[in-house]
Amino acid sequence: MTQALSHPTNASRTSGSKPEKTRLSVGFILAKRFTLCAFANFVDVLRLAADEGDRSRPILCNWTVLSDTMDPIPSSSGVSVHPKERLGDPRRFNYIVVVGGLIDESTDFSPAYQNFLKEAAAAGIPLIGVCTGAFLLHRSGLLDGYKSCVSWFSHSDFKEQFDGLDPVTDQIFVVDRDRLTCAGGVSSAHLAAYLVDKHVGRAHANKSLHIMIIDDAHQAEKPQPGIPLDLKTQNPIVQRALHIMQQNIDTPISIQEIAQRMGKSKRQIERYFRLSLETSPQVAFLNIRLDLARHLIEKSQKSVAQIAVDCGFCDSSHLSRMFRRRYGCTPQVLRRLPVTEEQVA
């Protein structure tokens, strides 16, 4: 993992209680309809690491939300955040974080923001893309030649928008020199903890995560908690169809609807699956659901009835019938088997 660039502390340039002790300063740019969870997790790690206990004083860390207009910024949940400062000079920060949100909004990014980020990059300030923030950095020409991380959920959208680029979707975050990107959600807390560990200290990073009731800090290489998928293909049409299936496991949709979403005919989708995976999309979709059901039976304490619902089956009897055909035993029998070292791992 390549380390991000370090910058001198900017105590003399920041305000707040005892600014001379500031070790980590972060400026946030929030995209229209940004993901509130990803932003909140990142900020709370900084907040809890910055002071003793839960007092929230920005002493060891400080952070601020930046804006070109100072208008309230709506999140995807409808909750708005009021920015605190105008863009100004990016050199007053150690890092600039771009928090993205809904894919449909990723093209609506202010030229003022793009110019600010380019100025920051020219000054050597590391840039961070959180959630679909990687989309916005790429669109601004600031991730050319860098590895970037996006959520497995957004993988097909990323490849569609940036032809020829294949982002990392099997890690929670990626650090490539002075560009850092993460999948969003809880992974933004782990990326923030990585920065706190680097600039403030490991004890402060762990303290933040523990107060937030998050397990010990995960390294960048930690796999994203996506859905197990054994179906491997290089065909982009089949890959996109598989991702749509993953996103609709609990309420399965028809192959016809998947084809319509992709602008293809059902027959075309079926032909692509036969050529690429030697199976039908119907069978592939069922196997994805059964694979997840087996994963939950082996790794979780959920009831078989709840797993059936989560995986899009009518009831536990329906799941049991399909499960027996695929694996040769029922979910109940599998759960009673001794746990192997492979299952524990």
Side-chain angles (χ1 to χ4, degrees), residues 27-48:
F28 286 93
I29 291 177
L30 307 181
K32 181 181 178 182
R33 304 191 74 188
F34 67 96
T35 306
L36 187 61
C37 171
F39 170 61
N41 280 327
F42 203 117
V43 169
D44 255 6
V45 169
L46 301 180
R47 177 182 70 85
L48 293 165

Side-chain angles (χ1 to χ4, degrees), residues 98-136:
V98 179
V99 184
L102 298 183
I103 296 291
D104 294 343
E105 306 287 347
S106 64
T107 57
D108 185 14
F109 197 49
S110 162
Y113 286 150
Q114 296 186 45
N115 291 335
F116 176 77
L117 291 169
K118 289 174 182 177
E119 183 182 349
I125 309 300
L127 305 178
I128 299 176
V130 172
C131 192
T132 59
F135 286 66
L136 300 172

Side-chain angles (χ1 to χ4, degrees), residues 95-343:
Y95 297 87
I96 305 295
V97 179
V98 179
V99 184
L102 298 183
I103 296 291
D104 294 343
E105 306 287 347
S106 64
T107 57
D108 185 14
F109 197 49
S110 162
Y113 286 150
Q114 296 186 45
N115 291 335
F116 176 77
L117 291 169
K118 289 174 182 177
E119 183 182 349
I125 309 300
L127 305 178
I128 299 176
V130 172
C131 192
T132 59
F135 286 66
L136 300 172
L137 290 176
H138 257 302
R139 197 170 300 284
S140 302
L142 294 167
L143 278 179
D144 295 342
Y146 289 90
K147 291 194 302 179
S148 59
C149 173
V150 301
S151 166
W152 65 268
F153 192 83
S154 304
H155 180 263
S156 59
D157 294 293
F158 189 94
K159 294 190 70 173
E160 199 172 82
Q161 291 192 28
F162 306 104
D163 188 34
L165 297 177
D166 193 12
V168 175
T169 56
D170 58 356
Q171 295 181 198
I172 59 172
F173 66 87
V174 166
V175 178
D176 187 359
R177 294 162 287 165
D178 55 354
R179 298 292 186 273
L180 302 84
T181 47
C182 78
V186 175
S187 73
S188 65
H190 290 292
L191 177 52
Y194 165 81
L195 298 182
V196 170
D197 183 354
K198 182 178 179 64
H199 293 275
V200 183
R202 178 158 299 178
H204 292 273
N206 289 336
K207 167 204 163 188
S208 293
L209 295 177
H210 291 163
I211 293 176
M212 294 170 68
I213 318 179
I214 296 176
D215 290 338
D216 291 340
H218 294 323
Q219 298 302 307
E221 296 79 10
K222 172 75 175 179
Q224 291 185 30
I227 300 164
L229 184 61
D230 294 331
L231 299 168
K232 303 297 183 183
T233 176
Q234 297 301 312
N235 186 300
I237 293 174
V238 176
Q239 286 178 338
R240 186 178 175 198
L242 291 171
H243 279 288
I244 292 174
M245 291 174 183
Q246 285 183 306
Q247 294 165 14
N248 291 274
I249 281 185
D250 57 343
T251 53
I253 60 177
S254 68
I255 305 304
Q256 179 67 42
E257 186 173 347
I258 292 173
Q260 288 175 348
R261 290 189 185 187
M262 297 176 60
K264 306 289 182 183
S265 69
K266 179 183 176 184
R267 183 170 295 182
Q268 285 177 310
I269 298 298
E270 290 173 340
R271 183 168 70 250
Y272 283 123
F273 269 75
R274 289 291 182 190
L275 291 173
S276 184
L277 296 175
E278 298 183 347
T279 190
S280 70
Q282 292 87 346
V283 170
F285 200 176
L286 175 60
N287 287 343
I288 288 173
R289 291 158 58 206
L290 288 170
D291 285 346
L292 177 59
R294 178 165 185 163
H295 174 80
L296 293 174
I297 288 162
E298 293 178 339
K299 303 292 186 180
S300 78
Q301 300 300 314
K302 289 185 176 182
S303 69
V304 174
Q306 183 59 53
I307 291 172
V309 172
D310 291 346
C311 298
F313 294 94
C314 298
D315 51 35
S316 57
S317 297
H318 183 205
L319 170 60
S320 294
R321 289 196 303 274
M322 297 298 104
F323 201 91
R324 184 193 291 272
R325 290 181 191 175
R326 176 87 190 276
Y327 300 113
C329 69
T330 65
Q332 292 84 352
V333 170
L334 178 64
R335 181 160 273 177
R336 288 197 295 267
L337 293 176
V339 176
T340 65
E341 291 185 3
E342 184 180 47
Q343 287 174 311

